[in-house]
Amino acid sequence: MFDTSFTWNDFLYLLDGAWVTLQLTFWAILLGSFAGLLFGLLRALLPRATLPLAWVLDVFRSVPLLIQFVLFNSFKSIVGIDINAFAVGCIVLGIYAAAYFTEIVRSGVLSVPFTLRRASRSLGLSYVQDLRYIVLPMATRVAFPGWLNLVLSVMKDTALVMWIGIVELLRASQTIVTRIQEPLLVLCIAGLIYYVMSLVVAQLGARLEKRWQEND
């Protein structure tokens, strides 16, 4: 007969950790999307002038995220910046997401045929109108799948914030494992919660993408 020390309160504790994971993902993606959109447009429209920006973003894409968490957390302590660990997690994840989303936006903008843009200008649209009504709608559809994959990736990467003291889903599961010594069961439940959260995000994204196609 299957016997376990895992209780309903343990499950609720995992759900509390999952809620922290979702909050981290939301704020990181919000910050990363706004910054990435701005940086991506600049990189696509002013490639030479924004080379220094590209080099900086390359650093954030290349350095492992765990190292970024540790360095930023140590830096804010040395400088004396009074922000909590949750804010540090959101900022680091947000910058990390922005570094990737910049390239997603840039590739989306550059995918719009130059002949189409020239045709829109010949019809009397201004440069700003061309960006608003022609470039951005088409680039959004190209960039959306990449953005959705980025959301799912950031959701999994939130597990690394445990190293700066945040109790998210993985940290919560490790706490329970330490107490009841049933790692297989606890990690399977935590993995299932991750799967459900990712599935919901993916399904919402697929539904939105399908609605776009139906409106064509």
Side-chain angles (χ1 to χ4, degrees), residues 31-43:
L31 172 60
S33 295
F34 277 110
L37 177 61
L38 175 61
F39 296 159
L41 287 174
L42 290 174
R43 288 289 298 125

Side-chain angles (χ1 to χ4, degrees), residues 168-209:
E168 41 64 66
L169 180 54
L170 184 60
R171 180 67 177 269
S173 67
Q174 289 189 336
T175 301
I176 296 172
V177 167
T178 302
R179 182 172 57 82
I180 69 174
Q181 296 298 310
E182 296 180 31
L184 185 60
L185 174 64
V186 176
L187 291 178
C188 281
I189 295 173
L192 181 61
I193 295 173
Y194 273 116
Y195 172 75
V196 170
M197 293 191 299
S198 298
L199 182 63
V200 170
V201 172
Q203 289 297 322
L204 289 174
R207 184 172 299 180
L208 179 57
E209 196 169 10

Side-chain angles (χ1 to χ4, degrees), residues 4 22 40 65 77 94 105-106 120 123 134 138 141 151 165 197:
T4 179
L22 289 174
L65 190 53
S77 300
V105 172
R106 187 181 72 89
S120 68
L123 291 174
I134 305 298
M138 295 185 66
R141 298 193 182 195
V151 174
M197 293 191 299

Side-chain angles (χ1 to χ4, degrees), residues 60-216:
F60 287 102
R61 283 194 298 270
S62 303
V63 176
L65 190 53
L66 178 58
I67 294 178
Q68 295 185 41
F69 277 122
V70 174
L71 290 180
F72 190 91
N73 198 47
S74 301
F75 177 77
K76 67 101 175 177
S77 300
I78 293 172
V79 176
I81 302 175
D82 187 20
I83 55 176
N84 57 31
F86 183 85
V88 171
C90 291
I91 293 171
V92 174
L93 283 168
I95 296 174
Y96 184 75
Y100 278 96
F101 191 51
T102 296
E103 290 303 305
I104 295 173
V105 172
R106 187 181 72 89
S107 61
V109 172
L110 294 179
S111 70
V112 180
F114 180 73
T115 53
L116 183 61
R117 298 194 61 188
R118 186 160 50 186
S120 68
R121 298 298 298 277
S122 67
L123 291 174
L125 294 182
S126 67
Y127 184 79
V128 175
Q129 289 174 327
D130 171 50
L131 286 178
R132 179 179 177 183
Y133 297 112
I134 305 298
V135 176
L136 288 181
M138 295 185 66
T140 298
R141 298 193 182 195
V142 173
F144 181 75
W147 178 83
L148 185 61
N149 286 331
L150 180 63
V151 174
L152 297 175
S153 177
V154 169
M155 184 181 294
K156 290 181 291 184
D157 288 338
T158 57
L160 295 174
V161 302
M162 61 179 288
W163 294 102
I164 57 174
I166 300 176
V167 182
E168 41 64 66
L169 180 54
L170 184 60
R171 180 67 177 269
S173 67
Q174 289 189 336
T175 301
I176 296 172
V177 167
T178 302
R179 182 172 57 82
I180 69 174
Q181 296 298 310
E182 296 180 31
L184 185 60
L185 174 64
V186 176
L187 291 178
C188 281
I189 295 173
L192 181 61
I193 295 173
Y194 273 116
Y195 172 75
V196 170
M197 293 191 299
S198 298
L199 182 63
V200 170
V201 172
Q203 289 297 322
L204 289 174
R207 184 172 299 180
L208 179 57
E209 196 169 10
K210 183 179 179 181
R211 183 171 298 179
W212 276 343
Q213 292 175 354
E214 291 173 350
N215 291 334
D216 284 342

